[in-house]
Amino acid sequence: MNSHAPAPAKEEISEQLLNATLIKSVPLSSSAHHLTFRVESEEPLEFLPGQSICLEVAAQGDSTPSPYSIASAPCGDNSFELCLRRGAKGSAAARLCDLHEGTQVRSTRPKGVFVLQQPAGDTVFLAAGTGIAPIRSMIHWLLRNTERRSEARVGLIFGARDRESLFFHHEFLELTGKHTNFHYLPTLSRPSANWHGACGYVQDHLHRLQPNPENAHAYLCGPAAMITSARQALNEQGWPEKRVHHEKHDIG
């Protein structure tokens, strides 16, 4: 994951480390996990939807904290969720996915600048792969915020390689049934014969979302190639650069 903010110094991270216990680990696919941690701290774990957190998982003498986007909305119970692909054997992500429930790791407090902007009018989310993590956090927060339950629309186009990689698919379908202002469009780049939904890449379906251009914002998260293509497509549609926000997830 890459963020716009410069990486903090290792000494600064070390001063902020907290104990975090893995309380739930659920496979999302053959190569990805949904992890839930709870931080043990008397101070509340406060964060903005879209921010990331650094976790330290020691292995072979390497204990450098690695950043991961938080996949859950703030809920006030000191917990946070992650959506991770395992990555290469021995990588920090793979070690996290292999942890047993009850295992304790060290974490920083959340940080990052990929967050929701004001004014909060119509919102368009474009995600691919594990780039859905911060987007999921933002969507849940927006839909829970009673002050925004008006005519403001929230749209998500989520691109994945195949059906197995369409993380949280049923969850987003349920949200469409509960919130009339939420629109969800999954699309697969390598669909199987029994897939009857949209095909292709995220940017191929931008025309299907029709936000109010006066105060809409777009949030993009996924691999670098997806970010580049989607930004170009939005630019061609006349989106002002200041209303397009992005964060790259190098491992989709």
Side-chain angles (χ1 to χ4, degrees):
M1 181 201 74
N2 294 331
S3 62
H4 303 294
K10 185 173 182 180
E11 292 78 7
E12 179 183 345
I13 289 179
S14 299
E15 294 175 359
Q16 301 177 16
L17 291 182
L18 305 168
N19 292 324
T21 302
L22 178 64
I23 59 176
K24 190 174 183 180
S25 178
V26 179
L28 287 171
S29 71
S30 59
S31 60
H33 271 66
H34 180 196
L35 308 175
T36 303
F37 289 88
R38 179 170 291 124
V39 169
E40 300 173 13
S41 173
E42 294 182 357
E43 297 182 13
L45 184 74
E46 297 180 344
F47 61 93
L48 298 174
Q51 288 190 311
S52 61
I53 194 166
C54 291
L55 298 184
E56 176 186 276
V57 186
Q60 297 179 347
D62 179 15
S63 60
T64 302
S66 299
Y68 304 96
S69 291
I70 297 175
S72 53
C75 59
D77 67 350
N78 274 21
S79 69
F80 64 91
E81 301 173 24
L82 304 179
C83 169
L84 301 181
R85 282 199 184 276
R86 297 181 60 85
K89 183 178 180 180
S91 66
R95 298 199 298 271
L96 281 170
C97 291
D98 287 337
L99 292 180
H100 296 291
E101 294 178 359
T103 301
Q104 192 174 87
V105 299
R106 301 275 281 168
S107 78
T108 63
R109 290 194 174 275
K111 56 178 67 67
V113 297
F114 184 60
V115 296
L116 293 167
Q117 306 294 312
Q118 296 293 336
D122 288 354
T123 310
V124 172
F125 294 107
L126 310 176
T130 55
I132 194 61
I135 299 300
R136 178 178 182 257
S137 174
M138 293 177 178
I139 288 174
H140 275 288
W141 187 88
L142 286 174
L143 296 181
R144 290 176 188 171
N145 190 338
T146 56
E147 295 180 358
R148 295 196 71 261
R149 289 179 185 172
S150 57
E151 296 181 357
R153 291 172 292 181
V154 179
L156 167 63
I157 303 179
F158 181 22
R161 180 177 302 174
D162 49 38
R163 175 63 185 82
E164 185 189 39
S165 301
L166 207 55
F167 309 135
F168 308 110
H169 177 58
H170 291 295
E171 177 181 299
F172 292 129
L173 289 176
E174 290 179 0
L175 288 176
T176 63
K178 295 179 180 179
H179 303 275
T180 58
N181 64 325
F182 177 59
H183 305 277
Y184 169 51
L185 175 63
T187 180
L188 302 183
S189 60
R190 299 182 186 178
S192 61
N194 61 357
W195 173 256
H196 303 295
C199 300
Y201 297 97
V202 167
Q203 61 272 15
D204 299 333
H205 300 282
L206 282 173
H207 63 281
R208 300 176 66 170
L209 295 181
Q210 299 179 344
N212 180 352
E214 294 183 2
N215 61 354
H217 285 269
Y219 299 86
L220 291 57
C221 192
M226 170 267 183
I227 297 293
T228 299
S229 298
R231 289 182 67 189
Q232 180 178 348
L234 289 168
N235 182 64
E236 292 173 354
Q237 289 189 8
W239 280 74
E241 186 68 24
K242 65 181 180 180
R243 293 194 178 274
V244 178
H245 318 279
H246 70 276
E247 182 168 86
K248 296 176 183 178
H249 271 222
D250 293 328
I251 297 178

